[in-house]
Amino acid sequence: PARRPPASGKSCADELAEISHALNHKYSQALDKWCTENIDSADIIVGQGGEVVMLNMAWQCNQMIGTRLVDAVRANKPVYAGLSASTMVCAKSMEMSGEIQPGWIEAFAADAKHLCRKHFSDKDLNGDGISANVLGALPLLEAPIAMRPHYTEAWAQQVLEKNLLAEKEFEKETGIEIPDDLVHNSKEGCEVACQLLSLVSKAAKDQDCPIFVPIRNGKCIEVTTHYQA
């Protein structure tokens, strides 16, 4: 049976985001101490797998902690190792998931107003290419990447369709032709898809449609951050 919405008329996610924001500000000194001890001073932080909508909501609702983690990783303090869902929420979209059921996004995705503008640009939030309610809420990656972990051939057509949209946008806006076989073969695995992503990231300045990178079990992608003064 359908669940009743909160008495406030807001979604569950928006209510949680407002409560989390208020608590984080009320106890800001304790939060800063916790982040210093458990984020800034860590060698490695491992993100869990599981239900991607719920995990993304957790980061949407705790942007002060998420921002602290993004800042620390980009400053080459801890290494972040994402597993499954915790990889998807670091990218531009977490939408390619069989876990998103009817009504889930409406109930368990917080409004974009709760996202910290430090790491989310107007382009991220304008709804072109990616709807804000499926935008990865832990923006460790600036490249126009989305991921499909636990990849099998059942996802191949969806990955190809998304990457064809990205190719169309890229070629229209840059005038650069992408080899058709590179796009077509991007559905085969992360190696080819990362080549496509590198090409698009290098030349595109305003890419809305992300490149979907399929990651089979047993595969990983290593991202190195190079600090520029």
Side-chain angles (χ1 to χ4, degrees):
R3 294 181 179 271
R4 292 182 179 180
S8 65
K10 301 172 184 176
S11 71
C12 299
D14 284 334
E15 282 211 334
L16 181 59
E18 291 180 3
I19 294 169
S20 296
H21 184 74
L23 288 172
N24 287 340
H25 276 280
K26 182 176 181 179
Y27 300 104
S28 58
Q29 290 185 340
L31 177 64
D32 180 69
K33 181 175 183 291
W34 186 90
C35 288
T36 299
E37 294 174 351
N38 295 283
I39 295 178
D40 298 343
S41 302
D43 294 318
I44 184 170
I45 295 173
V46 180
Q48 66 182 14
E51 215 299 321
V52 68
V53 178
M54 296 298 183
L55 181 58
N56 207 54
M57 180 184 70
W59 287 117
Q60 289 173 333
C61 295
N62 287 280
Q63 284 288 286
M64 290 182 71
I65 297 176
T67 297
R68 190 67 172 261
L69 176 55
V70 171
D71 288 343
V73 172
R74 290 186 179 180
N76 286 323
K77 292 179 180 179
V79 171
Y80 178 85
L83 306 174
S84 190
S86 62
T87 301
M88 298 174 76
V89 300
C90 297
K92 292 296 182 183
S93 172
M94 57 85 184
E95 67 188 283
M96 195 172 289
S97 170
E99 296 162 352
I100 298 179
Q101 299 298 316
W104 277 51
I105 291 295
E106 291 77 9
F108 301 121
D111 190 278
K113 67 183 181 183
H114 297 294
L115 298 177
C116 177
R117 294 307 191 269
K118 181 175 183 180
H119 295 304
F120 289 101
S121 66
D122 290 340
K123 181 175 72 69
D124 290 328
L125 302 174
N126 65 13
D128 292 340
I130 306 167
S131 175
N133 59 12
V134 295
L135 188 65
L138 183 65
L140 287 168
L141 304 174
E142 292 186 352
I145 181 176
M147 303 186 200
R148 175 56 248 171
H150 311 299
Y151 183 67
T152 66
E153 296 304 318
W155 294 98
Q157 188 58 37
Q158 290 187 51
V159 168
L160 179 58
E161 288 173 359
K162 292 290 188 181
N163 289 348
L164 286 169
L165 289 174
E167 176 196 25
K168 182 178 179 180
E169 178 195 354
F170 175 84
E171 292 182 345
K172 180 180 179 180
E173 294 190 356
T174 67
I176 300 172
E177 293 290 324
I178 298 177
D180 289 339
D181 60 343
L182 182 61
V183 180
H184 181 78
N185 292 334
S186 67
K187 69 181 189 300
E188 301 301 329
C190 62
E191 295 88 351
V192 179
C194 282
Q195 293 179 35
L196 175 60
L197 173 65
S198 296
L199 189 158
V200 170
S201 296
K202 183 178 181 180
K205 299 185 182 299
D206 193 28
Q207 180 77 16
D208 289 310
C209 296
I211 301 298
F212 276 78
V213 176
I215 306 176
R216 300 179 189 277
N217 289 343
K219 294 286 186 178
C220 68
I221 298 173
E222 179 181 349
V223 180
T224 302
T225 300
H226 298 282
Y227 175 76
Q228 295 181 335

